[in-house]
Amino acid sequence: MTKIEEVKAKVEAGKSKLVPGLVQEALDAGNNPQDILDAMVESMGVVGEKFSTGEIFVPEMLIAAKAMSKGVDVLKPHLAGDGASKLGTCIIGTVAGDLHDIGKNLVSLMIESAGFDMVDLGVDVPAETFVQAIKDHDNVKIVACSGLLTSTMPAMKEAVATIKASGLTGFKVIVGGAPVTPEYAAEIGADGFAPDAGTAAVKAKELAT
Ligand code: B1M
């Protein structure tokens, strides 16, 4: 088994104490950080699949998520750029009713590396909180809304609508997350969509400059 395969297996099994060390070993063995990340994302896909088929339940899904987060912590310095150029502030959060934050955290990390100052509102963020954050921070250029549940897509729609109806200007809204499509993003009036964290950073930069 390669180091990357070991990382993948231990994330799937939710071994939070072992994953950071294995990620470090995989890095030390010369593996590309992005390949290690891709393997962990794949693990979460397997975990999701097992949840769908009733093989595992929410607690197992949660411990796998914790294991992945610990692994991402080790990868962070290797994934992030220097963020030298300052492009403005990006407000980010997972929409109301939704507690998934691994994808949002990766998107935040990549947008930060692209040169933005991040304001992370966390998970389960009501539409009005996005608006308040735009008012509370200087030079907001991007508002990024993440959502993982089909059932919280209406909350994403509400977030975009509330932000747009606030009358505040000078920024663009981008959305993403597994159930979000470019068509849905356009339909709810978002300015941009990205399927993954890397593309979200490219999109944020493109829209802010
Ligand atoms: Co949940 N969950 N979960 N879950 N969970 C999913 C999403 C699910 C697909 C599993 C399944 O059934 N196969 C399913 C959703 C089905 C649907 O609605 N379509 C699901 C469900 C049903 C639920 C509950 C309802 C289960 C229950 O209670 N019965 C419940 C809901 C709780 C709530 O939010 N109110 C629930 C709970 C949980 C845990 C708390 C246990 C845990 C989350 C812990 C945490 O995040 N801290 C969890 C987990 C871990 C998952 C899976 C297994 C993994 C999610 C993940 O982290 N993926 C997930 C299955 C899966 O994803 N295949 C599942 C890795 C991550 C890197 O990918 O988040 O997709 P992702 O992010 C990507 C892209 O989507 C994109 O970039 C990221 C990186 O490239 N992206 C953006 C994300 N945000 C973006 C924003 C952008 C642009 C791109 O611009 C702003």
Side-chain angles (χ1 to χ4, degrees):
M1 204 186 258
T2 65
K3 278 291 162 212
I4 288 195
E5 283 165 350
E6 269 188 75
V7 169
K8 194 165 177 274
K10 296 300 181 206
V11 168
E12 262 173 58
K15 302 288 182 195
S16 325
K17 290 201 175 126
L18 295 179
V19 168
L22 284 170
V23 169
Q24 189 57 57
E25 284 175 32
L27 285 169
D28 294 343
N31 288 289
N32 182 320
Q34 187 62 47
D35 291 342
I36 304 171
L37 179 65
D38 289 347
M40 291 198 285
V41 172
E42 246 179 75
S43 305
M44 298 313 284
V46 174
V47 168
E49 219 27 67
K50 286 185 176 169
F51 174 75
S52 294
T53 57
E55 203 179 316
I56 61 165
F57 300 95
V58 171
E60 286 94 334
M61 207 157 54
L62 189 58
I63 55 172
K66 276 191 185 150
M68 168 146 185
S69 295
K70 297 270 180 203
V72 171
D73 286 345
V74 177
L75 279 185
K76 262 184 199 166
H78 303 272
L79 290 169
D82 60 6
S85 54
K86 281 295 166 207
L87 299 173
T89 300
C90 172
I91 309 276
I92 191 166
T94 302
V95 299
D98 199 326
L99 302 175
H100 296 85
D101 69 356
I102 297 179
K104 183 262 296 167
N105 293 343
L106 286 176
V107 169
S108 179
L109 178 70
M110 297 311 284
I111 295 181
E112 184 175 15
S113 343
F116 290 84
D117 290 320
M118 301 305 295
V119 176
D120 190 339
L121 303 175
V123 296
D124 191 13
V125 179
E128 301 72 29
T129 305
F130 282 105
V131 173
Q132 193 58 48
I134 301 164
K135 289 181 184 160
D136 289 346
H137 293 87
D138 291 332
N139 200 21
V140 175
K141 294 289 185 197
I142 298 289
V143 181
C145 305
S146 174
L148 261 281
L149 296 171
T150 312
S151 58
T152 54
M153 289 302 91
M156 179 171 279
K157 182 178 180 176
E158 194 193 333
V160 176
T162 307
I163 293 164
K164 294 281 178 179
S166 69
L168 297 164
T169 55
F171 58 86
K172 302 282 185 193
V173 181
I174 63 171
V175 295
V180 184
T181 61
E183 292 74 25
Y184 186 72
E187 184 191 318
I188 65 175
D191 302 301
F193 159 82
D196 55 53
T199 316
V202 172
K203 190 48 112 182
K205 208 168 169 177
E206 180 189 307
L207 288 172
T209 50

